[in-house]
Amino acid sequence: MMAGMTGTRWLDTSEQCIWRSYLAATSLLEDRLDREISAASGLSVIEYGILAHLSEAEGRRMRMSALADTVLVSKSRLSHQVARLERDGHVRREVCPDDRRGAFAVLTDEGYELLVSIAPVHVDGVRTHLFDQLEPEQVQQLAEITRRLVAHLRELPEVVRCPSARSGAGAK
Amino acid sequence: MMAGMTGTRWLDTSEQCIWRSYLAATSLLEDRLDREISAASGLSVIEYGILAHLSEAEGRRMRMSALADTVLVSKSRLSHQVARLERDGHVRREVCPDDRRGAFAVLTDEGYELLVSIAPVHVDGVRTHLFDQLEPEQVQQLAEITRRLVAHLRELPEVVRCPSARSGAGAK
């Protein structure tokens, strides 16, 4: 409907179809794994990721800022998720007295036990809904495709916010 | 750390690496497109998707339940996002008097104009951060991989919730 506008490299019909297929596959997979983990444990897939990353860190503890970079969520969203995990006794937050920004998240023994008990559910989901669906060469293709995307996305400069944008000025 | 447990088909090192690369690529791409749309308009990528799907529907209106299936978010999350869009005047909700569950979301003229003004930003992001990063054969590979995953994930039965699971019984 907007293909007449100039300057934008619009997607053709095939690209639109591939983009929608990508969106559907990634959303459905995330949603499925989320439901499976939630049904087994009450955790969201992000909470599971937080516990898993903490379990692999030295002393089962990480700075909140490092945890946000690893789990790939925004700091505000992480803070919300960690608060929920803390309320349920799976994570403990510790603040360094000499550095107010340097709060740590620490995995509790109870959190570790929960993680161990649900890891088989999650691994089974990843295998059943992703790896088992693909031919061996497709798994290698996916590895190379995602490697390229990560290399590109990690090197991008920050997005600059346009203060006047919400007025709707522009393309019409 | 848990590879000694039986019955679970654990991921080997290469599969773990591919799974983490998949998670990083999909999270970073979603996050980047979200930031670009947000910087240009204040909308999240999900809100953008809601406006885009409504713009293509007959009468620019959809039942909330159909919209949730199309945008691939849970009904509660959709309800929250539509409430925000309604507050800002981009969407209007209409309830059928003879069917209380049959609420519709309707795109307003203001919502349509906002969508038109930011569509170039979004398309540019998808092209720059996805299609431009891949060789033509990789785009075709991605199409086939995501087609397979969608076909599998759409046919799955519902997840059955296990009421006793949060006690942490099990694998350790």
Side-chain angles (χ1 to χ4, degrees):
Chain A
M1 69 182 170
M2 290 167 278
M5 291 172 349
T6 56
T8 301
R9 295 175 301 150
W10 297 100
L11 303 182
D12 65 28
T13 309
S14 159
E15 287 166 334
Q16 275 185 41
C17 179
I18 294 167
W19 171 238
R20 290 193 180 194
S21 181
Y22 169 91
L23 281 182
T26 54
S27 304
L28 288 167
L29 181 56
E30 182 179 347
D31 190 54
R32 180 70 189 191
L33 297 176
D34 200 47
R35 279 167 201 255
E36 290 179 349
I37 290 174
S38 169
S41 68
L43 298 180
S44 71
V45 73
I46 292 176
E47 291 173 316
Y48 177 87
I50 292 170
L51 299 186
H53 284 293
L54 287 176
S55 79
E56 293 170 9
E58 198 180 322
R60 295 185 189 160
R61 57 197 292 131
M62 289 177 77
R63 266 182 203 279
M64 290 290 283
S65 53
L67 190 56
D69 288 345
T70 310
V71 183
L72 297 169
V73 297
S74 67
K75 289 191 181 58
S76 65
R77 196 167 172 201
L78 178 72
S79 181
H80 176 75
Q81 303 275 348
V82 168
R84 250 196 76 182
L85 288 168
E86 189 172 35
R87 194 193 62 206
D88 292 342
H90 302 123
V91 165
R92 190 172 66 240
R93 275 186 287 194
E94 290 178 0
V95 180
C96 310
D98 57 343
D99 176 7
R100 290 194 56 205
R101 295 182 313 161
F104 282 87
V106 187
L107 186 63
T108 64
D109 289 344
E110 195 195 358
Y112 183 76
E113 297 219 1
L114 179 66
L115 177 68
V116 169
S117 76
I118 59 180
V121 173
H122 182 56
V123 169
D124 216 58
V126 171
R127 183 168 289 292
T128 304
H129 306 311
L130 179 64
F131 289 105
D132 284 356
Q133 300 306 316
L134 304 177
E135 305 297 331
E137 65 267 27
Q138 289 182 308
V139 172
Q140 295 311 314
Q141 291 164 0
L142 184 64
E144 178 57 22
I145 287 168
T146 56
R147 193 198 62 72
R148 278 200 181 201
L149 296 179
V150 171
H152 164 74
L153 290 160
R154 285 218 189 271
E155 292 304 315
L156 288 173
E158 282 291 304
V159 175
V160 177
R161 180 167 290 273
C162 169
S164 66
R166 193 133 197 180
S167 66
K172 206 179 173 188
Chain B
M1 67 181 168
M2 290 168 277
M5 288 170 352
T6 56
T8 302
R9 296 175 301 150
W10 297 100
L11 304 183
D12 65 27
T13 310
S14 160
E15 288 166 335
Q16 275 186 41
C17 178
I18 293 167
W19 172 239
R20 291 194 179 191
S21 181
Y22 170 90
L23 281 182
T26 54
S27 304
L28 288 167
L29 181 56
E30 181 179 347
D31 189 54
R32 180 69 190 193
L33 296 176
D34 199 49
R35 279 167 201 254
E36 289 179 351
I37 289 174
S38 170
S41 69
L43 296 180
S44 71
V45 72
I46 292 176
E47 290 173 317
Y48 177 87
I50 292 169
L51 299 186
H53 285 291
L54 288 175
S55 79
E56 293 169 10
E58 199 180 323
R60 295 183 189 160
R61 57 196 291 130
M62 289 177 77
R63 268 185 202 276
M64 290 289 282
S65 53
L67 190 56
D69 288 345
T70 310
V71 183
L72 298 169
V73 296
S74 66
K75 290 191 180 57
S76 65
R77 196 167 174 200
L78 179 72
S79 179
H80 175 76
Q81 303 276 347
V82 168
R84 250 197 77 181
L85 288 168
E86 190 172 33
R87 193 194 63 205
D88 292 342
H90 302 124
V91 165
R92 191 172 64 241
R93 273 186 287 194
E94 290 177 2
V95 180
C96 310
D98 57 343
D99 176 7
R100 290 194 56 208
R101 295 184 313 161
F104 282 86
V106 187
L107 185 63
T108 64
D109 289 344
E110 194 194 359
Y112 184 76
E113 297 220 0
L114 178 65
L115 177 68
V116 169
S117 74
I118 59 180
V121 172
H122 182 56
V123 169
D124 216 57
V126 171
R127 184 166 289 293
T128 304
H129 306 311
L130 179 65
F131 289 104
D132 284 356
Q133 300 307 316
L134 304 178
E135 304 298 329
E137 65 268 27
Q138 289 182 308
V139 172
Q140 294 312 313
Q141 291 164 1
L142 183 63
E144 179 57 19
I145 287 168
T146 56
R147 191 198 62 71
R148 279 201 181 202
L149 296 180
V150 171
H152 164 75
L153 290 160
R154 285 218 190 271
E155 292 305 315
L156 288 174
E158 282 292 303
V159 175
V160 178
R161 181 167 290 272
C162 170
S164 65
R166 192 131 198 181
S167 68
K172 205 178 173 191

